[in-house]
Amino acid sequence: MTISVIANFKAKSDQKETLEALLKSVIEPTLKEEGCLKYELYISENDASRYFFLEEWRSREDLDIHLASDYIQSLFGNIQSLIESSDIVEIKKI
């Protein structure tokens, strides 16, 4: 069974462009990861400071390897001062 994730980040009002650039910077290396089936970045039509990653992974192990990667750990460390909030939710079809 695959693992699907929605990751939600709300930028501070003066940090939108910086956050967007950092989020975009992890797309290419993530798509090259073994086990990455989908990794897409979206912006809310109702709130231009809210970003969403829609992800799909082949397995829990693949997602865990992704989360432990140097560039994702760096992203998490660098965005803390740029965001008001974040939420990462695993989802499944019903």
Side-chain angles (χ1 to χ4, degrees):
M1 178 191 302
T2 62
I3 304 291
S4 298
V5 175
I6 297 175
N8 171 19
F9 302 95
K10 179 161 178 60
K12 291 182 179 176
S13 60
D14 61 339
Q15 298 297 327
K16 182 185 169 322
E17 293 80 17
T18 304
L19 177 62
E20 185 173 315
L22 283 173
L23 295 175
K24 285 180 175 180
S25 75
V26 300
I27 294 172
E28 185 177 332
T30 298
L31 289 171
K32 293 178 182 176
E33 288 183 46
E34 186 174 334
C36 179
L37 304 174
K38 179 189 290 187
Y39 198 77
E40 301 172 334
L41 181 61
Y42 295 84
I43 189 166
S44 171
E45 288 192 19
N46 302 323
D47 180 352
S49 67
R50 192 170 296 276
Y51 295 88
F52 300 87
F53 273 117
L54 183 56
E55 309 174 27
E56 188 171 358
W57 296 91
R58 182 182 56 196
S59 69
R60 158 64 55 199
E61 181 182 2
D62 293 321
L63 174 58
D64 290 344
I65 290 168
H66 166 70
L67 293 173
S69 68
D70 290 342
Y71 56 91
I72 294 299
Q73 288 300 306
S74 177
L75 173 70
F76 289 158
N78 290 327
I79 66 171
Q80 295 308 311
S81 64
L82 307 176
I83 60 174
E84 289 183 13
S85 63
S86 65
D87 191 29
I88 298 174
V89 179
E90 293 182 24
I91 59 172
K92 64 179 179 178
K93 289 183 183 180
I94 55 171

